[in-house]
Amino acid sequence: SVRIVVASDYHWTLAGEVERGIFKVPDVALAKVREFTSLGGVFVLATSGSMRHIGDLASLLRGIAYIALENGLILVKPDGSIVNNAPDWWRPVKESIVNELSRLGIGFTMGYEAIFLKAHDVGGLGLEDRYPVKLEYNRGLVSVMPRGVDKGFVVRVLRGMFKGYIIVAVGDAENDLSMFREADIAVAVANALDVVKGEADYVTDREDGLGVAEVLDAAIRCGEGLRRCLDSDARFTKVH
């Protein structure tokens, strides 16, 4: 059995942008996810977004993978059951923020626990000064979450669930760096930002989901000797 957890970001990591705003996971990546999990590996899609942000991928992953939504505040298990990891104090804080936004006439949408706003609506509100929240910016959108909940929170949740497993994080953007810091092995896909590549242990040869497929293939072949394999695998550039 493969005692490895691979946690992958969604946009520009597992899924590539095939046209503006349209993302697709390569078939080869989905096939590798199925093979990896059939051998006992654990695959986790880790996103700061909510279920609607990943489209029909949820149904494709049903039965084989975990989906960590809203930076792990919500964990959807392969059987579809949902674990809510939001702290008890978050509900009244969230309600206060929602009431304030409604009163000010500022548009927002709700995830399971996170609040999503347009970035240009956030300036001047001072939410982080007045509430115990973290604002996560991602391409014109802002998610409002409990303070301390970033993508590293996903890895901490997974470490509590899968004791003794090697945890590999795969990403492309700045909000993946907290996941990198908490993981045992950090991998940037070939199209990742330079600052992200600089913080990774390895960089894949291929972009987006094809890079994730390379990671899964190496995990299948090497098991717990994964780091040693990555050091000698020509498909990966060693950074640290």
Side-chain angles (χ1 to χ4, degrees):
S1 148
V2 180
R3 291 173 60 81
I4 297 174
V5 176
V6 174
S8 171
D9 172 51
Y10 177 55
H11 295 104
W12 295 282
T13 301
L14 182 62
E17 192 173 22
V18 292
E19 53 184 280
R20 187 171 175 80
I22 307 289
F23 289 83
K24 186 175 188 307
V25 180
D27 291 340
V28 65
L30 284 172
K32 280 295 172 189
V33 169
R34 291 190 192 97
E35 183 183 358
F36 175 67
T37 56
S38 73
L39 296 171
V42 177
F43 185 80
V44 184
L45 177 69
T47 176
S48 57
S50 198
M51 193 66 90
R52 67 179 176 278
H53 297 128
I54 63 171
D56 62 0
L57 183 59
S59 61
L60 295 175
L61 294 179
R62 182 75 181 263
I64 59 171
Y66 290 77
I67 302 175
L69 301 168
E70 301 170 24
N71 284 349
L73 284 173
I74 299 297
L75 187 69
V76 184
K77 293 183 174 183
D79 64 5
S81 61
I82 292 174
V83 179
N84 190 320
N85 295 305
D88 293 339
W89 55 263
W90 174 239
R91 184 173 297 277
V93 171
K94 178 175 66 174
E95 288 175 357
S96 294
I97 295 170
V98 164
N99 289 338
E100 179 178 337
L101 295 173
S102 299
R103 193 172 65 251
L104 294 171
I106 294 172
F108 63 91
T109 58
M110 294 297 303
Y112 285 95
E113 293 293 343
I115 305 165
F116 297 96
L117 301 159
K118 291 194 170 129
H120 60 71
D121 288 331
V122 173
L125 287 177
L127 293 177
E128 285 181 301
D129 297 328
R130 297 181 293 110
Y131 296 102
V133 299
K134 177 185 185 300
L135 302 184
E136 185 159 300
Y137 291 81
N138 194 358
R139 298 178 186 266
L141 290 175
V142 177
S143 48
V144 183
M145 302 189 189
R147 187 170 292 157
V149 175
D150 52 20
K151 280 199 172 167
F153 181 75
V154 175
V155 178
R156 293 193 292 276
V157 168
L158 294 172
R159 206 174 284 288
M161 294 173 63
F162 299 103
K163 298 188 188 312
Y165 280 60
I166 297 167
I167 298 184
V168 182
V170 190
D172 74 294
E174 291 104 325
N175 67 341
D176 297 315
L177 292 176
S178 58
M179 191 163 65
F180 279 16
R181 287 190 282 270
E182 295 282 347
D184 299 306
I185 300 174
V187 182
V189 285
N191 54 293
L193 300 175
D194 286 343
V195 66
V196 177
K197 290 179 179 177
E199 293 291 323
D201 297 308
Y202 303 92
V203 179
T204 65
D205 184 52
R206 309 285 300 273
E207 296 187 349
D208 301 321
L210 299 178
V212 177
E214 290 178 338
V215 175
L216 293 169
D217 184 65
I220 290 164
R221 288 188 302 103
C222 304
E224 292 181 38
L226 178 58
R227 187 180 283 275
R228 192 167 58 250
C229 274
L230 293 177
D231 285 345
S232 59
D233 192 325
R235 296 175 298 178
F236 297 89
T237 301
K238 185 175 181 180
V239 182
H240 294 118

